[in-house]
Amino acid sequence: MIYIAAIGVAAILLLQATGMIPLSSVGGPLTIGAVIIGIILAVAIHEAWSQRRGPVGWIVNLVVAFVGGMLGAQLGGFVASMILPSSGSLAAAGGVVFSIALVVSVLSAVAGAWAAIQLVNRWRPALAR
């Protein structure tokens, strides 16, 4: 999971540093969302592959990781917007503040996906009976 989180942070910061995240249109949130969804899928696929899940396990992992990751990303974005100093939106603030908000969102998405999968893993033995 550490490698997935590091790759996600590197990808989002690289996109932000190169100006590939537009700050004034709908393309910016879509780009951020695409990176977050890709990271969430990577967490789900990694866990399903490493635990040798069957087809139903893969589907459960994908759905649970998606829900947990999206909730985690929203919670991380909310916390970042409350803690980080800005007079308006974080995207309008730009620079380091926006970079920190992006990193917090990606890391909270990874944590949310991982936590949701771990929660379901506690129930898996009971469901197999």
Side-chain angles (χ1 to χ4, degrees), residues 9-10 12 14-15 23 29 40-42 45 54 71 75 77 81 88 92 98 104 122 128:
V9 167
I12 202 79
L14 181 67
L15 287 172
L23 301 178
I40 291 169
L41 291 176
I45 290 169
L71 288 174
L75 181 63
S81 68
F98 188 47
V104 168
R122 288 179 166 226

Side-chain angles (χ1 to χ4, degrees), residues 77-119:
F78 175 72
V79 169
S81 68
M82 290 294 145
I83 293 175
L84 295 174
S86 68
S87 59
S89 72
L90 292 172
V96 176
V97 174
F98 188 47
S99 297
I100 292 171
L102 290 173
V103 169
V104 168
S105 293
V106 168
L107 292 178
S108 61
V110 170
W114 180 80
I117 289 173
Q118 295 306 311
L119 183 66

Side-chain angles (χ1 to χ4, degrees), residues 40-60:
I40 291 169
L41 291 176
V43 169
I45 290 169
H46 169 70
E47 202 277 336
W49 183 274
S50 64
Q51 298 299 320
R52 298 187 176 159
R53 304 278 183 218
V56 174
W58 277 75
I59 293 168
V60 168

